[in-house]
Amino acid sequence: MSLKTPLDKIRNIGFIAHIDAGKTTTTERILYFTGLTYRMGDVEEGNTVTDWMLQERERGITIKSAVITCFWKGYQINIIDTPGHVDFTAEVERALRVLDGAIVILSGVEGVEAQSEAVWRQADRHKVPRIIFINKMDRIGSSFTDTVKSIEERLNVKPLVVQIPIGAEDNFHGVIDLVEWKSYLYDDPAGEMFDVKEIPQEMLEEAKKWRDRLMESVADVDEEALSVYIEKGTITAEVLKRAIRRATLFSIAFPVFIGSAFRNKGIQKLLDGICDYLPSPLDKGEVKARDIEGREVSLRPDPQGALAALVFKVTTDPYAGILSFIRVYSGTLEKGTYVLDSKTNERQRIMRLLRLHANKKEDVDYISAGDLGAIAGMKSAYTGHTICSITQPLFLEDIQFPEPVVSVAIEPKTKVDQDKLAEALVKFSVEDPTFKIKYDEDTSETIISGMGELHLEIILDRLFREYGVKAHIGKPQVAYKEAISTIAVSEGKYIRQTGGHGQYGHVVLRVSPLTEGKGIVFIDQTKGGVIPKEFIPSIEEGARIAAENGPVLGFPLNDIVVELIDGSYHPVDSSEIAFRIASTKAFREAVSHAGPYLLEPIMSAEIITPINFLGEVINTVTSRRGTVKGIIERGNTTIIQCLIPLSTMFNYTTVLRTITQGRGSFSMVFDSYERVPQAIQEEIIKKAKGEI
């Protein structure tokens, strides 16, 4: 194991971006230039380090986030390469939960795209400082100024442009560093070597204009820089660097780097930027946890402090068994010691600790505060669990994930396949919190749900290849939700009289609609002990169980206030199970009289098309109940921004390619749930009942 890196020299960072912006290629180049690999992998050739799954290499996309550790100029950089496709947003969510900083990669051709905005908002939510890397500057159609403009307009942030390009498109061959006031020329055809020179005379005027803009932007957000700027009319490189770092750490502004990862240009300077501007664990400072009494505890990144590590990902390795990926926030996790999983209250021994290099691993004796790693063979330590000291239980904040929006039915062909299927699905659900399993008793089918068609396609592919499951697969279906439109009150009783003690539970519930996104809220409104307090949790549990199957088509109910307003009990016969059953009855009766309706997932979509096909593409949007929100022109290409129901977008890729002669593309991210129009709801119900 290498010597321990000081905390101020550790960078826990991730690459986040729209699909095909170049995250994996950039990661490959960083691994090469830091000496971790001796040849550069290529996404097209399927030989990259971080995309090691068969499904990733076949499709040329990232599916699972990979963790890599490398070293640059005395800094230890722990990198998480995340997927760009919206179907794998859970991988981005859990990565951002444990990262200190991120690099947002944008394509110099497309600029800020739909998923770029989505991951930016995710990073905002987790308060992760970012730098921006404009990639593909060598591509035909790339535009540095247009991309910077799209950052300002679409992300609504202040970019700090620290580099500008020398040359454009296939003539892109260097960058001007506006902080150091030098040019870096990549005249080596492979792009691995560069010459540091004075700024070319023909670019001096433009460079001065951009440097003045940088100094003004920095002076706007930093007091030291403002003071120096007012006094001297310029800002030295040293002061500029300090000011840019402070602005970045507080997410006031965001440094912008440029390059071409595929051509190896700009990578070394990006590595310098990661070390110069992104935070260390010390910069991120304290994190909040709770003790066993529910009191808030502040944890510093101190290797000698109380142990607190968050499991942010679980995967199954064919050689190492279950791998629990962790971020240690405080204390030191040591091999051979006993620890506590505070979520399950289980004591477990740490048998093996690993530093990760994608699918390769290095055994280590300890993982200290501020570092990332993995525990091998730790059972039941799932995503969101806290690993802590047995003598000092702590609870770190859990990780929240979006709900699945697409489902398919799967029916194994034989009993052997049924067993294989059950084993595989349990493993997948442990690895992926956005993958859900449900058994439909009416049809005897297993329903699996995920974040999109591609998500489920990958799951099914793994079922067939890795586990040899043979099964009948249904067509993808939208994962609707149900809600109510009015207030309703209902009574539920469960009374059974058998020999000895009987069963008695009696509740009166009122249900009413709630603001979107609030789930099920339970409130006890009873007074005077009409129902003893020990039975209230069972009544709430009964309502929540009943909410899993709505009255319209059995989809989960959402956004409902459930109020317990009355009831009664028997001093001898009342029990928790009796009140749970009575509550379930009352809830189901109430929601069936409260104007139940279906909610459908609405997607925020971006459709890219040559301008001469614009009219036909807009027609496909409106015919699918979509609403056009904006149109952006970029050269001969048009970007249509719209909101559109997910149910209408199955197989849209084929339709779009046909209309645009193969030149159109689209991407979409989940936006919200909205009420299904009545006529459409009736049609959905008839289809479900087999009437049409």
Side-chain angles (χ1 to χ4, degrees), residues 385-682:
H385 288 203
T386 302
I387 306 303
C388 56
S389 164
I390 292 169
T391 57
Q392 193 173 351
L394 293 169
F395 300 83
L396 291 160
E397 185 184 346
D398 206 342
I399 308 174
Q400 303 300 317
F401 294 101
E403 290 293 314
V405 293
V406 176
S407 303
V408 297
I410 180 166
E411 189 181 351
K413 291 184 177 179
T414 67
K415 178 68 172 67
V416 173
D417 290 315
Q418 174 72 54
D419 295 339
K420 288 181 186 175
L421 178 66
E423 178 194 353
L425 293 184
V426 167
K427 284 185 180 177
F428 292 159
S429 64
V430 167
E431 290 181 10
D432 185 351
T434 60
F435 174 67
K436 304 292 184 188
I437 314 158
K438 182 181 175 183
Y439 183 71
D440 190 326
E441 293 181 359
D442 295 332
T443 61
S444 299
E445 291 176 323
T446 299
I447 310 295
I448 59 173
S449 303
M451 298 306 298
E453 286 183 275
L454 181 61
H455 187 192
L456 293 181
E457 181 187 315
I458 299 296
I459 293 282
L460 293 170
D461 191 42
R462 291 185 64 194
L463 277 175
F464 303 149
R465 289 194 191 185
E466 293 175 29
Y467 293 90
V469 174
K470 294 183 174 64
H472 300 290
I473 308 299
K475 289 183 179 178
Q477 303 290 328
V478 172
Y480 294 98
K481 289 185 179 180
E482 298 185 20
I484 58 173
S485 54
T486 60
I487 298 171
V489 177
S490 187
E491 183 178 45
K493 286 184 178 179
Y494 182 69
I495 303 171
R496 288 286 183 274
Q497 200 61 52
T498 55
H501 286 310
Q503 295 285 353
Y504 184 94
H506 171 218
V507 301
V508 180
L509 299 181
R510 177 168 57 218
V511 297
S512 49
L514 189 61
T515 311
E516 182 190 333
K518 298 293 184 183
I520 303 292
V521 176
F522 182 86
I523 304 171
D524 176 16
Q525 300 281 28
T526 58
K527 292 183 176 65
V530 295
I531 298 174
K533 292 296 180 189
E534 63 262 29
F535 295 127
I536 303 301
S538 297
I539 295 169
E540 179 177 353
E541 186 185 349
R544 292 189 181 279
I545 290 169
E548 292 173 8
N549 294 281
V552 181
L553 280 176
F555 291 104
L557 281 151
N558 211 35
D559 303 329
I560 297 175
V561 178
V562 184
E563 296 171 275
L564 174 62
I565 57 175
D566 202 359
S568 62
Y569 75 101
H570 189 282
V572 176
D573 291 347
S574 284
S575 65
E576 290 180 357
I577 191 166
F579 274 106
R580 191 181 301 121
I581 294 169
S583 174
T584 301
K585 284 182 167 185
F587 181 87
R588 285 179 177 153
E589 180 72 18
V591 295
S592 66
H593 292 95
Y597 60 87
L598 287 179
L599 291 164
E600 64 179 342
I602 303 296
M603 311 302 284
S604 175
E606 279 197 354
I607 305 168
I608 301 170
T609 175
I611 198 163
N612 48 320
F613 300 112
L614 178 62
E616 292 172 82
V617 174
I618 287 177
N619 286 340
T620 68
V621 172
T622 54
S623 68
R624 285 167 167 74
R625 297 191 283 126
T627 307
V628 175
K629 292 294 184 183
I631 296 174
I632 300 170
E633 289 187 17
R634 193 161 183 174
N636 292 321
T637 301
T638 308
I639 302 168
I640 304 165
Q641 299 170 319
C642 58
L643 293 175
I644 194 160
L646 175 62
S647 60
T648 67
M649 294 300 282
F650 293 124
N651 300 317
Y652 184 67
T653 302
T654 305
V655 173
L656 183 63
R657 283 176 181 163
T658 302
I659 290 171
T660 62
Q661 298 172 8
R663 294 157 66 194
S665 64
F666 82 100
S667 62
M668 59 185 183
V669 297
F670 172 77
D671 182 79
S672 60
Y673 270 91
E674 287 186 12
R675 185 169 184 168
V676 176
Q678 187 61 35
I680 303 293
Q681 177 170 311
E682 289 171 7

Side-chain angles (χ1 to χ4, degrees), residues 48-53 56-57 65-68 317-320 323 325 355-362:
T48 58
V49 172
T50 53
D51 286 354
W52 53 270
M53 284 176 63
E56 292 176 313
R57 293 188 166 182
S65 57
V67 181
I68 294 272
D317 183 87
Y319 306 107
L323 286 182
F325 291 58
R355 184 178 296 290
L356 298 157
H357 305 291
N359 64 329
K360 296 185 175 67
K361 299 149 197 77
E362 172 194 353

Side-chain angles (χ1 to χ4, degrees), residues 120 130-134 144 148-149 151-152 157-164 176-179 210-222 225 235 239-258 273 277:
W120 190 273
R130 279 143 278 172
I131 61 178
I132 297 167
F133 179 60
I134 302 175
F144 169 68
V148 171
K149 188 178 177 184
I151 292 168
E152 293 172 325
V157 298
K158 185 187 284 288
L160 300 177
V161 175
V162 297
Q163 295 178 340
I164 61 171
I176 293 173
D177 189 307
L178 300 174
V179 176
W210 279 101
R211 192 170 198 273
D212 287 344
R213 174 175 165 172
L214 173 64
M215 289 191 293
E216 286 169 12
S217 297
V218 171
D220 274 348
V221 298
D222 188 84
I235 305 174
V239 173
L240 207 50
K241 261 188 183 178
R242 283 202 303 267
I244 292 170
R245 178 171 172 76
R246 282 191 292 267
T248 307
L249 295 186
F250 288 102
S251 295
I252 299 168
F254 305 89
V256 177
F257 291 78
I258 56 173
Y277 301 128

